[in-house]
């Protein structure tokens, strides 16, 4: 499912995190989607995916979160159209250094 992959990068010089795509669009569908966040930068791992306030993502929309190696995966029910903000938290392997970025999932809803 290549359209459901978000590549996560860390700029070691600026300490910033970016996601590609920054807005993941699921489109209209009859099915749920698996979203995969894939850490690209060596020496870092995705530590968590949360709502902007740090709480878990809405379980009516997103469920079954799991660490996936240095990445993360989660199921998206895609129940109704809308933009869902989230925060990807990354951690430098072997340290307590954590940084975050806040991209968007744009659900297309059910057909």
């Amino acid at each position: 499912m290549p359209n459901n992959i978000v590549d996560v990068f860390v700029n070691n010089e600026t300490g910033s995190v970016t996601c590609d795509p920054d807005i993941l669009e699921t489109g209209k569908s009859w099915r749920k989607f698996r979203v995969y966040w894939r850490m690209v930068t060596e020496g870092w791992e995705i530590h968590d995916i949360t709502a902007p306030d740090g709480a878990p993502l809405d379980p009516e929309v997103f469920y079954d979160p799991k660490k996936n190696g240095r990445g993360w995966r989660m199921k998206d029910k895609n129940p109704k159209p809308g933009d869902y903000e989230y925060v990807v938290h990354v951690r430098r392997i072997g340290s307590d250094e954590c940084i975050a970025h806040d991209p968007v999932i744009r659900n297309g809803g059910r057909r």
Side-chain angles (χ1 to χ4, degrees), residues 96-110:
D96 292 332
E97 182 181 357
C98 294
I99 50 181
H101 179 62
D102 54 347
V104 171
I105 294 174
R106 181 168 292 149
N107 280 343
R110 296 286 187 182

Side-chain angles (χ1 to χ4, degrees), residues 35-47:
V35 180
Y36 297 92
W37 288 269
R38 186 169 56 188
M39 176 52 72
V40 176
T41 308
E42 288 299 320
W44 292 85
E45 66 182 350
I46 298 171
H47 177 66

Side-chain angles (χ1 to χ4, degrees), residues 22-59:
D22 204 50
I23 298 176
L24 176 66
E25 297 193 37
T26 64
K28 278 195 171 289
S29 174
W30 288 105
R31 64 185 177 94
K32 61 185 177 255
F33 288 90
R34 279 201 172 110
V35 180
Y36 297 92
W37 288 269
R38 186 169 56 188
M39 176 52 72
V40 176
T41 308
E42 288 299 320
W44 292 85
E45 66 182 350
I46 298 171
H47 177 66
D48 202 2
I49 306 284
T50 68
D53 63 0
L57 290 174
D58 182 350

Side-chain angles (χ1 to χ4, degrees), residues 3-8 17-27 35-37 49-52 57 61-62 74 76 78 80-89 100-108:
N3 61 331
N4 298 340
I5 294 174
V6 178
D7 285 331
V8 180
V17 180
T18 56
C19 291
D20 182 25
D22 204 50
I23 298 176
L24 176 66
E25 297 193 37
T26 64
V35 180
Y36 297 92
W37 288 269
I49 306 284
T50 68
L57 290 174
V61 180
F62 303 100
M74 187 176 301
D76 177 355
N78 199 32
K80 60 184 177 180
D83 287 358
Y84 295 86
E85 295 181 1
Y86 69 94
V87 178
V88 59
H89 302 267
H101 179 62
D102 54 347
V104 171
I105 294 174
R106 181 168 292 149
N107 280 343

